[in-house]
């Protein structure tokens, strides 16, 4: 039993120290609650989708690190599921499960341990229809997750100059198993030429991250009790 607990909670404790502005030597339990957990999609052997030699897992990590840094600069307590290119499934205490399910369970474990006000999973999209473009927010089937999704979608719509509506995410594991407001942010279509440029250009990456920060701030201001 002790070995199982060590396997489960060591990655979580590492994330606490790596992702939060805690003084050296301090106990991570001094943080009463986390404002945001950033879930960086894919990683390691799971590259996600790709286009022109660019892997989704790498773009997710770029956006995740940037978003974490900007939120921390605004004094938010932030957790993140990975800070490098590795598979979360490698940390799983359930070796009998399929790799993909081990990966998802680890992400849920981190979210449950940190109990953030919001959980945001970062991804990029792909379609065989090359004209398809723009961000898409997928939300957990709950009013509080919809509120978060609507605000983030509106902010990203304004940036991309597009009109889209958030999509309910019934089939998604994390959308069904998390208690806090939870969304998947599909940042754009890597298969679309215009979106590909936006997703891979450093200036537009920074602009998108600022948009996400403003959306998160608006949600926390308008709905302070939902993630409490």
């Amino acid at each position: 039993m002790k070995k199982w607990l060590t396997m489960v909670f060591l990655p979580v404790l590492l994330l606490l120290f790596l992702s939060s502005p805690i003084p050296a030597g301090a106990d991570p339990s001094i943080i009463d609650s986390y404002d945001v957990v950033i879930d960086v999609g894919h990683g390691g052997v799971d590259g996600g989708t790709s286009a022109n030699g660019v892997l989704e897992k790498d773009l997710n990590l770029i956006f995740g690190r940037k978003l974490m840094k900007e939120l921390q600069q605004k004094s938010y307590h932030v957790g993140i599921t990975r800070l490098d290119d590795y598979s979360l499934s490698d940390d799983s205490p359930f070796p009998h499960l399929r790799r993909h399910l081990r990966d998802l369970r680890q992400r849920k474990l981190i979210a449950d341990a940190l109990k953030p006000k919001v959980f945001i999973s970062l991804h990029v999209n792909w379609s065989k229809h090359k004209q398809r473009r723009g961000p898409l927010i997928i939300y957990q089937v709950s009013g509080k997750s919809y509120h978060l999704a609507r605000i983030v979608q509106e902010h990203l719509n304004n940036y991309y100059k597009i009109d889209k509506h958030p999509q309910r995410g019934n089939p998604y594991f994390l959308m069904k198993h998390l208690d806090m407001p939870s969304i998947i942010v599909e940042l754009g279509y890597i298969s679309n030429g215009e979106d590909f440029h936006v997703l891979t250009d450093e200036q537009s990456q920074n602009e998108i991250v600022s948009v996400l920060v403003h959306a998160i701030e608006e949600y926390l201001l308008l709905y302070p009790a939902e993630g409490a």
Side-chain angles (χ1 to χ4, degrees):
M1 181 66 174
K2 184 180 292 185
K3 182 179 180 181
W4 184 87
L5 289 171
T6 301
M7 290 172 67
V8 171
F9 288 107
L10 180 57
V12 174
L13 289 175
L14 287 173
L15 286 165
L16 290 173
F17 281 110
L18 289 171
S19 61
S20 301
I22 303 172
D27 187 337
S29 64
I30 62 173
I31 295 181
D32 293 329
S33 65
Y34 277 73
D35 298 303
V36 182
V37 163
I38 302 166
D39 176 38
V40 180
H42 305 284
V45 297
D46 180 7
T49 190
S50 64
N52 304 319
V54 177
L55 297 177
E56 178 188 358
K57 67 173 183 176
D58 296 327
L59 289 178
N60 295 341
L61 185 58
I62 289 170
F63 279 100
R65 285 173 167 172
K66 287 177 180 289
L67 181 58
M68 179 187 71
K69 181 177 180 181
E70 188 159 337
L71 285 169
Q72 285 181 339
Q73 288 174 346
K74 291 178 174 288
S75 299
Y76 288 103
H77 292 148
V78 186
I80 191 165
T81 55
R82 67 181 179 94
L83 280 168
D84 211 334
D85 180 21
Y86 52 82
S87 299
L88 269 72
S89 57
D90 293 342
D91 295 327
S92 174
F94 307 108
H96 61 285
L97 297 176
R98 291 180 293 111
R99 186 205 60 78
H100 182 59
L101 188 54
R102 295 200 310 271
D103 178 277
L104 293 173
R105 284 184 178 272
Q106 282 303 105
R107 296 173 195 275
K108 180 182 184 303
L109 178 68
I110 293 168
D112 289 343
L114 301 188
K115 296 179 173 60
K117 295 174 183 174
V118 298
F119 180 91
I120 296 178
S121 187
L122 298 180
H123 291 263
V124 299
N125 229 329
W126 185 93
S127 174
K128 63 181 180 180
H129 303 292
K130 303 300 182 183
Q131 74 277 12
R132 193 167 291 173
R133 63 175 295 265
L136 176 64
I137 311 304
I138 302 168
Y139 63 94
Q140 184 188 59
V141 185
S142 72
K144 56 189 180 183
S145 292
Y146 174 74
H147 292 152
L148 175 61
R150 179 180 55 79
I151 290 171
V152 174
Q153 184 76 68
E154 288 176 353
H155 279 258
L156 286 174
N157 281 352
N158 290 336
Y159 179 79
Y160 276 85
K161 295 180 172 58
I162 202 167
D163 184 19
K164 284 194 172 186
H165 301 283
Q167 174 181 308
R168 189 170 66 176
N170 279 343
Y172 297 93
F173 178 90
L174 289 175
M175 297 296 93
K176 293 191 296 183
H177 291 89
L178 295 180
D179 294 327
M180 70 287 300
S182 309
I183 60 173
I184 295 173
V185 179
E186 298 280 4
L187 292 160
Y189 281 84
I190 196 174
S191 49
N192 175 271
E194 188 175 351
D195 278 10
F196 181 86
H197 173 73
V198 170
L199 292 168
T200 56
D201 177 74
E202 185 174 6
Q203 179 177 336
S204 54
Q205 288 172 350
N206 292 336
E207 291 169 352
I208 289 171
V209 166
S210 293
V211 169
L212 290 174
V213 170
H214 291 151
I216 292 167
E217 288 184 307
E218 181 177 323
Y219 171 78
L220 293 174
L221 178 65
L222 294 176
Y223 302 99
E226 288 192 343

